Every structure is written in structure tokens, then in C-alpha cells.
Amino acid sequence: MSLYPCCARSNLRYFTEQGYSLAMNRPTLKATSRKNRTELRQALVASEARFQAIVDRSADGVVVVSTDGAIRFVNPAAERLLGRSAQQLRDEVFGVPIVPGEVTEIELLPQCGQSRSAEMHVVHTRWMGQPAFLATFRDVTDRKRRE
């Protein structure tokens, strides 16, 4: 795991590749022994791995969208729903209106061709230290067909 430092006044903040952050004030960081820093880093890696496993195994699609509308993160369920890989989606414009706090039903047209219905729920979040939107998608295609 790589940590990316970002200095802000009296705090030192590290961002991981996934956008998670760890902040320490400078006096604490200096006073912390090498062993304790190693333990903190190991705990951060373990915590990130647990969180990543949950997001990766979720049946719901998870997409992080920056405030300028660019897709920043996509989990495997979202890849399946959208019919494209995370690599293909990253930095593309998210073409669905974002309304935080509301559940919106949308039609997804994956590249493979078969339309899917999904409920999208959007909330405000932060990604890599910046404001962003977290959109979750629940596939409701089978329920819609039964209605």
C-alpha cells in the first residue's frame, strides 16, 4: 500500500490509493516511535483491506463521482450493472443527474445491450480529501418485470 502525504498547517495527512486518510498532528508524529508508526501503518492496511472486501463483495453497485461529474471509483457490482470495467469508467463523465438524499429509478444500458432497472441513492461524501458524491445502485430489474 502506498501512502501519499499532504501537509496542512500543523497536521500531516496521508491518503491511500482508495482515498482513505490518516491524519496526525506533527508533535504526535514526531513523538511516535518507529515501532508505533509501523503498527499504525499495519492497522491502517488491515482496516483498508477489510473495508475493501466489504465494498468488493457488495451486491449493490458503488460509484464515487467528483463534484465536476467525473467517475472516480467503481466497485465490481457497479461494473456488472454498467457493463464496463472500472478502468473504462474512471474519469468518464457520470451521465445521470445526481440528487443527494433521494432515491431515483434509472434505466441502465450496458454495452452488452440488455437494459437493467436500478434504484440509485446518492449522498455527499469526500474522496481523496475533496467533496464528492457516493452513488449506490440496486438492481431492481426482476422486481420491475414482476410488477
Side-chain angles (χ1 to χ4, degrees), residues 102-116:
E102 292 188 19
V103 176
T104 307
E105 191 169 298
I106 60 173
E107 290 296 315
L108 302 172
L109 299 169
Q111 286 183 334
C112 61
Q114 188 167 357
S115 175
R116 311 287 300 170

Side-chain angles (χ1 to χ4, degrees), residues 19-139:
Y20 309 120
S21 67
L22 171 69
M24 301 175 115
N25 65 35
R26 289 185 191 280
T28 301
L29 185 62
K30 288 178 183 176
T32 303
S33 71
R34 180 176 294 273
K35 180 180 175 186
N36 287 345
R37 285 195 306 260
T38 300
E39 288 171 359
L40 281 173
R41 192 176 301 247
Q42 289 170 344
L44 177 63
V45 169
S47 175
E48 184 176 309
R50 285 189 303 271
F51 181 78
Q52 190 68 43
I54 290 168
V55 171
D56 286 349
R57 292 183 180 115
S58 173
D60 291 341
V62 176
V63 177
V64 176
V65 180
S66 64
T67 56
D68 66 357
I71 296 172
R72 299 298 180 209
F73 172 83
V74 180
N75 78 337
E79 288 178 305
R80 288 188 296 275
L81 279 169
L82 299 171
R84 296 173 64 195
S85 72
Q87 187 175 13
Q88 291 170 319
L89 291 164
R90 194 167 298 117
D91 297 326
E92 291 292 319
V93 174
F94 187 70
V96 178
I98 296 175
V99 184
E102 292 188 19
V103 176
T104 307
E105 191 169 298
I106 60 173
E107 290 296 315
L108 302 172
L109 299 169
Q111 286 183 334
C112 61
Q114 188 167 357
S115 175
R116 311 287 300 170
S117 296
E119 287 180 348
M120 178 179 74
H121 185 253
V122 179
V123 296
H124 293 279
T125 192
R126 294 190 68 76
W127 184 257
M128 300 294 285
Q130 299 296 315
F133 300 101
L134 174 68
T136 56
F137 298 90
R138 176 157 295 161
D139 189 339

Side-chain angles (χ1 to χ4, degrees), residues 1-4 14-22 44-45 48 127-128:
M1 178 190 74
S2 299
L3 294 177
Y4 302 95
Y14 287 96
F15 290 99
T16 66
E17 293 97 346
Q18 284 73 29
Y20 309 120
S21 67
L22 171 69
L44 177 63
V45 169
E48 184 176 309
W127 184 257
M128 300 294 285

